[in-house]
mmCIF file with all atom_site columns, all heavy atoms in Angstrom:
data_model
loop_
_atom_site.group_PDB
_atom_site.id
_atom_site.type_symbol
_atom_site.label_atom_id
_atom_site.label_alt_id
_atom_site.label_comp_id
_atom_site.label_asym_id
_atom_site.label_entity_id
_atom_site.label_seq_id
_atom_site.pdbx_PDB_ins_code
_atom_site.Cartn_x
_atom_site.Cartn_y
_atom_site.Cartn_z
_atom_site.occupancy
_atom_site.B_iso_or_equiv
_atom_site.pdbx_formal_charge
_atom_site.auth_seq_id
_atom_site.auth_comp_id
_atom_site.auth_asym_id
_atom_site.auth_atom_id
_atom_site.pdbx_PDB_model_num
ATOM 1   N N   . ILE D 1 1  ? 103.954 80.890 100.842 1.00 96.00 ? 204 ILE D N   1
ATOM 2   C CA  . ILE D 1 1  ? 103.627 80.663 99.505  1.00 96.00 ? 204 ILE D CA  1
ATOM 3   C C   . ILE D 1 1  ? 104.394 81.535 98.521  1.00 96.00 ? 204 ILE D C   1
ATOM 4   O O   . ILE D 1 1  ? 104.949 80.969 97.439  1.00 96.00 ? 204 ILE D O   1
ATOM 5   C CB  . ILE D 1 1  ? 102.067 80.923 99.217  1.00 96.00 ? 204 ILE D CB  1
ATOM 6   C CG1 . ILE D 1 1  ? 101.284 79.936 100.041 1.00 96.00 ? 204 ILE D CG1 1
ATOM 7   C CG2 . ILE D 1 1  ? 101.695 80.840 97.808  1.00 96.00 ? 204 ILE D CG2 1
ATOM 8   C CD1 . ILE D 1 1  ? 99.742  80.293 100.251 1.00 96.00 ? 204 ILE D CD1 1
ATOM 9   N N   . CYS D 1 2  ? 104.611 82.751 98.822  1.00 95.00 ? 205 CYS D N   1
ATOM 10  C CA  . CYS D 1 2  ? 105.468 83.647 98.026  1.00 95.00 ? 205 CYS D CA  1
ATOM 11  C C   . CYS D 1 2  ? 106.886 83.162 97.959  1.00 95.00 ? 205 CYS D C   1
ATOM 12  O O   . CYS D 1 2  ? 107.489 83.184 96.933  1.00 95.00 ? 205 CYS D O   1
ATOM 13  C CB  . CYS D 1 2  ? 105.426 85.076 98.649  1.00 95.00 ? 205 CYS D CB  1
ATOM 14  S SG  . CYS D 1 2  ? 103.803 85.926 98.532  1.00 95.00 ? 205 CYS D SG  1
ATOM 15  N N   . ILE D 1 3  ? 107.313 82.651 99.045  1.00 96.00 ? 206 ILE D N   1
ATOM 16  C CA  . ILE D 1 3  ? 108.775 82.125 99.051  1.00 96.00 ? 206 ILE D CA  1
ATOM 17  C C   . ILE D 1 3  ? 108.807 80.870 98.278  1.00 96.00 ? 206 ILE D C   1
ATOM 18  O O   . ILE D 1 3  ? 109.694 80.652 97.455  1.00 96.00 ? 206 ILE D O   1
ATOM 19  C CB  . ILE D 1 3  ? 109.152 81.777 100.546 1.00 96.00 ? 206 ILE D CB  1
ATOM 20  C CG1 . ILE D 1 3  ? 109.308 83.128 101.282 1.00 96.00 ? 206 ILE D CG1 1
ATOM 21  C CG2 . ILE D 1 3  ? 110.560 81.064 100.603 1.00 96.00 ? 206 ILE D CG2 1
ATOM 22  C CD1 . ILE D 1 3  ? 109.483 82.965 102.806 1.00 96.00 ? 206 ILE D CD1 1
ATOM 23  N N   . ALA D 1 4  ? 107.714 79.940 98.292  1.00 97.00 ? 207 ALA D N   1
ATOM 24  C CA  . ALA D 1 4  ? 107.651 78.776 97.518  1.00 97.00 ? 207 ALA D CA  1
ATOM 25  C C   . ALA D 1 4  ? 107.765 79.143 95.981  1.00 97.00 ? 207 ALA D C   1
ATOM 26  O O   . ALA D 1 4  ? 108.310 78.497 95.186  1.00 97.00 ? 207 ALA D O   1
ATOM 27  C CB  . ALA D 1 4  ? 106.457 77.902 97.835  1.00 97.00 ? 207 ALA D CB  1
ATOM 28  N N   . ARG D 1 5  ? 106.923 80.278 95.627  1.00 96.00 ? 208 ARG D N   1
ATOM 29  C CA  . ARG D 1 5  ? 106.841 80.613 94.245  1.00 96.00 ? 208 ARG D CA  1
ATOM 30  C C   . ARG D 1 5  ? 108.263 81.133 93.807  1.00 96.00 ? 208 ARG D C   1
ATOM 31  O O   . ARG D 1 5  ? 108.659 80.836 92.587  1.00 96.00 ? 208 ARG D O   1
ATOM 32  C CB  . ARG D 1 5  ? 105.864 81.746 94.068  1.00 96.00 ? 208 ARG D CB  1
ATOM 33  C CG  . ARG D 1 5  ? 105.773 82.357 92.694  1.00 96.00 ? 208 ARG D CG  1
ATOM 34  C CD  . ARG D 1 5  ? 104.741 83.463 92.542  1.00 96.00 ? 208 ARG D CD  1
ATOM 35  N NE  . ARG D 1 5  ? 104.988 84.503 93.536  1.00 96.00 ? 208 ARG D NE  1
ATOM 36  C CZ  . ARG D 1 5  ? 104.005 85.513 93.758  1.00 96.00 ? 208 ARG D CZ  1
ATOM 37  N NH1 . ARG D 1 5  ? 102.919 85.568 93.077  1.00 96.00 ? 208 ARG D NH1 1
ATOM 38  N NH2 . ARG D 1 5  ? 104.367 86.511 94.615  1.00 96.00 ? 208 ARG D NH2 1
ATOM 39  N N   . ALA D 1 6  ? 109.064 81.748 94.625  1.00 95.00 ? 209 ALA D N   1
ATOM 40  C CA  . ALA D 1 6  ? 110.327 82.121 94.263  1.00 95.00 ? 209 ALA D CA  1
ATOM 41  C C   . ALA D 1 6  ? 111.359 81.038 94.169  1.00 95.00 ? 209 ALA D C   1
ATOM 42  O O   . ALA D 1 6  ? 112.301 80.976 93.397  1.00 95.00 ? 209 ALA D O   1
ATOM 43  C CB  . ALA D 1 6  ? 110.821 83.247 95.266  1.00 95.00 ? 209 ALA D CB  1
ATOM 44  N N   . LEU D 1 7  ? 111.080 79.983 95.066  1.00 96.00 ? 210 LEU D N   1
ATOM 45  C CA  . LEU D 1 7  ? 112.070 78.885 95.186  1.00 96.00 ? 210 LEU D CA  1
ATOM 46  C C   . LEU D 1 7  ? 111.846 77.901 94.143  1.00 96.00 ? 210 LEU D C   1
ATOM 47  O O   . LEU D 1 7  ? 112.753 77.093 93.871  1.00 96.00 ? 210 LEU D O   1
ATOM 48  C CB  . LEU D 1 7  ? 111.828 78.296 96.554  1.00 96.00 ? 210 LEU D CB  1
ATOM 49  C CG  . LEU D 1 7  ? 112.714 77.229 97.073  1.00 96.00 ? 210 LEU D CG  1
ATOM 50  C CD1 . LEU D 1 7  ? 114.139 77.891 97.357  1.00 96.00 ? 210 LEU D CD1 1
ATOM 51  C CD2 . LEU D 1 7  ? 112.311 76.566 98.427  1.00 96.00 ? 210 LEU D CD2 1
ATOM 52  N N   . VAL D 1 8  ? 110.683 77.798 93.473  1.00 97.00 ? 211 VAL D N   1
ATOM 53  C CA  . VAL D 1 8  ? 110.397 76.714 92.576  1.00 97.00 ? 211 VAL D CA  1
ATOM 54  C C   . VAL D 1 8  ? 111.297 76.546 91.391  1.00 97.00 ? 211 VAL D C   1
ATOM 55  O O   . VAL D 1 8  ? 111.536 75.482 90.839  1.00 97.00 ? 211 VAL D O   1
ATOM 56  C CB  . VAL D 1 8  ? 108.932 76.776 92.105  1.00 97.00 ? 211 VAL D CB  1
ATOM 57  C CG1 . VAL D 1 8  ? 108.741 77.961 91.101  1.00 97.00 ? 211 VAL D CG1 1
ATOM 58  C CG2 . VAL D 1 8  ? 108.403 75.453 91.595  1.00 97.00 ? 211 VAL D CG2 1
ATOM 59  N N   . LEU D 1 9  ? 111.961 77.767 91.042  1.00 95.00 ? 212 LEU D N   1
ATOM 60  C CA  . LEU D 1 9  ? 112.883 77.648 89.886  1.00 95.00 ? 212 LEU D CA  1
ATOM 61  C C   . LEU D 1 9  ? 114.303 77.311 90.325  1.00 95.00 ? 212 LEU D C   1
ATOM 62  O O   . LEU D 1 9  ? 115.195 77.315 89.571  1.00 95.00 ? 212 LEU D O   1
ATOM 63  C CB  . LEU D 1 9  ? 112.955 79.023 89.173  1.00 95.00 ? 212 LEU D CB  1
ATOM 64  C CG  . LEU D 1 9  ? 111.681 79.404 88.313  1.00 95.00 ? 212 LEU D CG  1
ATOM 65  C CD1 . LEU D 1 9  ? 111.717 80.831 87.884  1.00 95.00 ? 212 LEU D CD1 1
ATOM 66  C CD2 . LEU D 1 9  ? 111.475 78.432 87.149  1.00 95.00 ? 212 LEU D CD2 1
ATOM 67  N N   . ARG D 1 10 ? 114.476 77.100 91.653  1.00 95.00 ? 213 ARG D N   1
ATOM 68  C CA  . ARG D 1 10 ? 115.928 76.859 92.233  1.00 95.00 ? 213 ARG D CA  1
ATOM 69  C C   . ARG D 1 10 ? 116.778 78.025 91.797  1.00 95.00 ? 213 ARG D C   1
ATOM 70  O O   . ARG D 1 10 ? 117.833 77.730 91.248  1.00 95.00 ? 213 ARG D O   1
ATOM 71  C CB  . ARG D 1 10 ? 116.366 75.446 91.777  1.00 95.00 ? 213 ARG D CB  1
ATOM 72  C CG  . ARG D 1 10 ? 115.537 74.293 92.280  1.00 95.00 ? 213 ARG D CG  1
ATOM 73  C CD  . ARG D 1 10 ? 115.509 74.201 93.794  1.00 95.00 ? 213 ARG D CD  1
ATOM 74  N NE  . ARG D 1 10 ? 114.836 72.980 94.184  1.00 95.00 ? 213 ARG D NE  1
ATOM 75  C CZ  . ARG D 1 10 ? 113.508 72.875 94.552  1.00 95.00 ? 213 ARG D CZ  1
ATOM 76  N NH1 . ARG D 1 10 ? 112.776 73.921 94.562  1.00 95.00 ? 213 ARG D NH1 1
ATOM 77  N NH2 . ARG D 1 10 ? 113.044 71.769 94.951  1.00 95.00 ? 213 ARG D NH2 1
ATOM 78  N N   . PRO D 1 11 ? 116.473 79.249 92.130  1.00 96.00 ? 214 PRO D N   1
ATOM 79  C CA  . PRO D 1 11 ? 117.334 80.352 91.759  1.00 96.00 ? 214 PRO D CA  1
ATOM 80  C C   . PRO D 1 11 ? 118.641 80.345 92.532  1.00 96.00 ? 214 PRO D C   1
ATOM 81  O O   . PRO D 1 11 ? 118.699 79.732 93.654  1.00 96.00 ? 214 PRO D O   1
ATOM 82  C CB  . PRO D 1 11 ? 116.514 81.541 92.049  1.00 96.00 ? 214 PRO D CB  1
ATOM 83  C CG  . PRO D 1 11 ? 115.708 81.118 93.248  1.00 96.00 ? 214 PRO D CG  1
ATOM 84  C CD  . PRO D 1 11 ? 115.325 79.704 93.001  1.00 96.00 ? 214 PRO D CD  1
ATOM 85  N N   . LYS D 1 12 ? 119.673 81.034 92.065  1.00 96.00 ? 215 LYS D N   1
ATOM 86  C CA  . LYS D 1 12 ? 120.837 81.275 92.830  1.00 96.00 ? 215 LYS D CA  1
ATOM 87  C C   . LYS D 1 12 ? 120.764 82.424 93.763  1.00 96.00 ? 215 LYS D C   1
ATOM 88  O O   . LYS D 1 12 ? 121.337 82.423 94.836  1.00 96.00 ? 215 LYS D O   1
ATOM 89  C CB  . LYS D 1 12 ? 121.994 81.468 91.808  1.00 96.00 ? 215 LYS D CB  1
ATOM 90  C CG  . LYS D 1 12 ? 122.298 80.172 91.001  1.00 96.00 ? 215 LYS D CG  1
ATOM 91  C CD  . LYS D 1 12 ? 123.533 80.378 90.200  1.00 96.00 ? 215 LYS D CD  1
ATOM 92  C CE  . LYS D 1 12 ? 123.795 79.195 89.296  1.00 96.00 ? 215 LYS D CE  1
ATOM 93  N NZ  . LYS D 1 12 ? 123.990 77.854 90.013  1.00 96.00 ? 215 LYS D NZ  1
ATOM 94  N N   . LEU D 1 13 ? 119.933 83.512 93.327  1.00 97.00 ? 216 LEU D N   1
ATOM 95  C CA  . LEU D 1 13 ? 119.838 84.668 94.182  1.00 97.00 ? 216 LEU D CA  1
ATOM 96  C C   . LEU D 1 13 ? 118.389 84.924 94.467  1.00 97.00 ? 216 LEU D C   1
ATOM 97  O O   . LEU D 1 13 ? 117.521 84.847 93.610  1.00 97.00 ? 216 LEU D O   1
ATOM 98  C CB  . LEU D 1 13 ? 120.358 85.884 93.311  1.00 97.00 ? 216 LEU D CB  1
ATOM 99  C CG  . LEU D 1 13 ? 120.122 87.275 93.984  1.00 97.00 ? 216 LEU D CG  1
ATOM 100 C CD1 . LEU D 1 13 ? 120.830 87.370 95.337  1.00 97.00 ? 216 LEU D CD1 1
ATOM 101 C CD2 . LEU D 1 13 ? 120.590 88.375 92.990  1.00 97.00 ? 216 LEU D CD2 1
ATOM 102 N N   . LEU D 1 14 ? 118.128 85.189 95.732  1.00 96.00 ? 217 LEU D N   1
ATOM 103 C CA  . LEU D 1 14 ? 116.732 85.524 96.237  1.00 96.00 ? 217 LEU D CA  1
ATOM 104 C C   . LEU D 1 14 ? 116.766 86.924 96.848  1.00 96.00 ? 217 LEU D C   1
ATOM 105 O O   . LEU D 1 14 ? 117.530 87.138 97.784  1.00 96.00 ? 217 LEU D O   1
ATOM 106 C CB  . LEU D 1 14 ? 116.210 84.452 97.165  1.00 96.00 ? 217 LEU D CB  1
ATOM 107 C CG  . LEU D 1 14 ? 114.661 84.495 97.431  1.00 96.00 ? 217 LEU D CG  1
ATOM 108 C CD1 . LEU D 1 14 ? 114.150 83.140 97.704  1.00 96.00 ? 217 LEU D CD1 1
ATOM 109 C CD2 . LEU D 1 14 ? 114.322 85.519 98.554  1.00 96.00 ? 217 LEU D CD2 1
ATOM 110 N N   . VAL D 1 15 ? 116.000 87.771 96.276  1.00 95.00 ? 218 VAL D N   1
ATOM 111 C CA  . VAL D 1 15 ? 115.852 89.176 96.755  1.00 95.00 ? 218 VAL D CA  1
ATOM 112 C C   . VAL D 1 15 ? 114.620 89.246 97.636  1.00 95.00 ? 218 VAL D C   1
ATOM 113 O O   . VAL D 1 15 ? 113.524 89.011 97.177  1.00 95.00 ? 218 VAL D O   1
ATOM 114 C CB  . VAL D 1 15 ? 115.804 90.164 95.650  1.00 95.00 ? 218 VAL D CB  1
ATOM 115 C CG1 . VAL D 1 15 ? 115.695 91.637 96.235  1.00 95.00 ? 218 VAL D CG1 1
ATOM 116 C CG2 . VAL D 1 15 ? 117.083 90.140 94.803  1.00 95.00 ? 218 VAL D CG2 1
ATOM 117 N N   . ALA D 1 16 ? 114.721 89.623 98.855  1.00 93.00 ? 219 ALA D N   1
ATOM 118 C CA  . ALA D 1 16 ? 113.625 89.619 99.876  1.00 93.00 ? 219 ALA D CA  1
ATOM 119 C C   . ALA D 1 16 ? 113.478 91.123 100.229 1.00 93.00 ? 219 ALA D C   1
ATOM 120 O O   . ALA D 1 16 ? 114.271 91.693 101.027 1.00 93.00 ? 219 ALA D O   1
ATOM 121 C CB  . ALA D 1 16 ? 113.861 88.840 101.108 1.00 93.00 ? 219 ALA D CB  1
ATOM 122 N N   . ASP D 1 17 ? 112.279 91.730 99.798  1.00 90.00 ? 220 ASP D N   1
ATOM 123 C CA  . ASP D 1 17 ? 112.128 93.177 100.047 1.00 90.00 ? 220 ASP D CA  1
ATOM 124 C C   . ASP D 1 17 ? 111.167 93.213 101.301 1.00 90.00 ? 220 ASP D C   1
ATOM 125 O O   . ASP D 1 17 ? 110.009 93.028 101.225 1.00 90.00 ? 220 ASP D O   1
ATOM 126 C CB  . ASP D 1 17 ? 111.457 93.777 98.884  1.00 90.00 ? 220 ASP D CB  1
ATOM 127 C CG  . ASP D 1 17 ? 111.269 95.236 99.014  1.00 90.00 ? 220 ASP D CG  1
ATOM 128 O OD1 . ASP D 1 17 ? 111.655 95.833 100.023 1.00 90.00 ? 220 ASP D OD1 1
ATOM 129 O OD2 . ASP D 1 17 ? 110.640 95.901 98.191  1.00 90.00 ? 220 ASP D OD2 1
ATOM 130 N N   . GLU D 1 18 ? 111.681 93.536 102.454 1.00 89.00 ? 221 GLU D N   1
ATOM 131 C CA  . GLU D 1 18 ? 110.979 93.627 103.723 1.00 89.00 ? 221 GLU D CA  1
ATOM 132 C C   . GLU D 1 18 ? 110.070 92.445 103.939 1.00 89.00 ? 221 GLU D C   1
ATOM 133 O O   . GLU D 1 18 ? 108.881 92.532 104.044 1.00 89.00 ? 221 GLU D O   1
ATOM 134 C CB  . GLU D 1 18 ? 110.034 94.967 103.717 1.00 89.00 ? 221 GLU D CB  1
ATOM 135 C CG  . GLU D 1 18 ? 110.815 96.302 103.526 1.00 89.00 ? 221 GLU D CG  1
ATOM 136 C CD  . GLU D 1 18 ? 111.388 96.781 104.833 1.00 89.00 ? 221 GLU D CD  1
ATOM 137 O OE1 . GLU D 1 18 ? 111.367 96.030 105.793 1.00 89.00 ? 221 GLU D OE1 1
ATOM 138 O OE2 . GLU D 1 18 ? 111.848 97.940 104.828 1.00 89.00 ? 221 GLU D OE2 1
ATOM 139 N N   . PRO D 1 19 ? 110.686 91.276 103.995 1.00 87.00 ? 222 PRO D N   1
ATOM 140 C CA  . PRO D 1 19 ? 109.945 90.010 104.006 1.00 87.00 ? 222 PRO D CA  1
ATOM 141 C C   . PRO D 1 19 ? 109.014 89.829 105.211 1.00 87.00 ? 222 PRO D C   1
ATOM 142 O O   . PRO D 1 19 ? 108.132 88.881 105.086 1.00 87.00 ? 222 PRO D O   1
ATOM 143 C CB  . PRO D 1 19 ? 111.028 88.965 103.815 1.00 87.00 ? 222 PRO D CB  1
ATOM 144 C CG  . PRO D 1 19 ? 112.179 89.527 104.452 1.00 87.00 ? 222 PRO D CG  1
ATOM 145 C CD  . PRO D 1 19 ? 112.150 91.038 104.047 1.00 87.00 ? 222 PRO D CD  1
ATOM 146 N N   . VAL D 1 20 ? 109.267 90.481 106.237 1.00 87.00 ? 223 VAL D N   1
ATOM 147 C CA  . VAL D 1 20 ? 108.450 90.207 107.473 1.00 87.00 ? 223 VAL D CA  1
ATOM 148 C C   . VAL D 1 20 ? 107.823 91.471 108.018 1.00 87.00 ? 223 VAL D C   1
ATOM 149 O O   . VAL D 1 20 ? 107.123 91.472 109.108 1.00 87.00 ? 223 VAL D O   1
ATOM 150 C CB  . VAL D 1 20 ? 109.394 89.580 108.612 1.00 87.00 ? 223 VAL D CB  1
ATOM 151 C CG1 . VAL D 1 20 ? 109.944 88.257 108.168 1.00 87.00 ? 223 VAL D CG1 1
ATOM 152 C CG2 . VAL D 1 20 ? 110.455 90.488 109.033 1.00 87.00 ? 223 VAL D CG2 1
ATOM 153 N N   . SER D 1 21 ? 107.891 92.611 107.367 1.00 84.00 ? 224 SER D N   1
ATOM 154 C CA  . SER D 1 21 ? 107.352 93.897 107.828 1.00 84.00 ? 224 SER D CA  1
ATOM 155 C C   . SER D 1 21 ? 105.885 93.915 107.995 1.00 84.00 ? 224 SER D C   1
ATOM 156 O O   . SER D 1 21 ? 105.372 94.571 108.816 1.00 84.00 ? 224 SER D O   1
ATOM 157 C CB  . SER D 1 21 ? 107.907 94.968 107.084 1.00 84.00 ? 224 SER D CB  1
ATOM 158 O OG  . SER D 1 21 ? 107.329 95.013 105.802 1.00 84.00 ? 224 SER D OG  1
ATOM 159 N N   . ALA D 1 22 ? 105.138 93.101 107.171 1.00 78.00 ? 225 ALA D N   1
ATOM 160 C CA  . ALA D 1 22 ? 103.755 93.001 107.132 1.00 78.00 ? 225 ALA D CA  1
ATOM 161 C C   . ALA D 1 22 ? 103.228 91.940 108.149 1.00 78.00 ? 225 ALA D C   1
ATOM 162 O O   . ALA D 1 22 ? 101.986 91.769 108.201 1.00 78.00 ? 225 ALA D O   1
ATOM 163 C CB  . ALA D 1 22 ? 103.177 92.747 105.749 1.00 78.00 ? 225 ALA D CB  1
ATOM 164 N N   . LEU D 1 23 ? 104.055 91.340 108.896 1.00 84.00 ? 226 LEU D N   1
ATOM 165 C CA  . LEU D 1 23 ? 103.706 90.128 109.689 1.00 84.00 ? 226 LEU D CA  1
ATOM 166 C C   . LEU D 1 23 ? 103.884 90.564 111.205 1.00 84.00 ? 226 LEU D C   1
ATOM 167 O O   . LEU D 1 23 ? 104.678 91.381 111.576 1.00 84.00 ? 226 LEU D O   1
ATOM 168 C CB  . LEU D 1 23 ? 104.508 88.946 109.391 1.00 84.00 ? 226 LEU D CB  1
ATOM 169 C CG  . LEU D 1 23 ? 104.503 88.542 107.965 1.00 84.00 ? 226 LEU D CG  1
ATOM 170 C CD1 . LEU D 1 23 ? 105.456 87.324 107.744 1.00 84.00 ? 226 LEU D CD1 1
ATOM 171 C CD2 . LEU D 1 23 ? 103.117 88.072 107.425 1.00 84.00 ? 226 LEU D CD2 1
ATOM 172 N N   . ASP D 1 24 ? 103.147 89.815 112.135 1.00 87.00 ? 227 ASP D N   1
ATOM 173 C CA  . ASP D 1 24 ? 103.396 89.874 113.558 1.00 87.00 ? 227 ASP D CA  1
ATOM 174 C C   . ASP D 1 24 ? 104.773 89.504 113.793 1.00 87.00 ? 227 ASP D C   1
ATOM 175 O O   . ASP D 1 24 ? 105.375 88.664 113.133 1.00 87.00 ? 227 ASP D O   1
ATOM 176 C CB  . ASP D 1 24 ? 102.302 89.021 114.265 1.00 87.00 ? 227 ASP D CB  1
ATOM 177 C CG  . ASP D 1 24 ? 100.903 89.508 114.161 1.00 87.00 ? 227 ASP D CG  1
ATOM 178 O OD1 . ASP D 1 24 ? 100.729 90.698 113.836 1.00 87.00 ? 227 ASP D OD1 1
ATOM 179 O OD2 . ASP D 1 24 ? 100.000 88.624 114.347 1.00 87.00 ? 227 ASP D OD2 1
#
């Protein structure tokens, strides 16, 4: 969902801050 929120504007740059550290 967080990625979808970032993607909805069709940005050129996406900054991912520790995108999987809170996940299994």
Side-chain angles (χ1 to χ4, degrees):
I204 295 166
C205 293
I206 294 170
R208 178 177 59 188
L210 191 67
V211 74
L212 291 171
R213 298 294 188 266
K215 295 185 183 299
L216 172 63
L217 194 150
V218 178
D220 185 6
E221 300 278 9
V223 300
S224 65
L226 306 175
D227 293 341

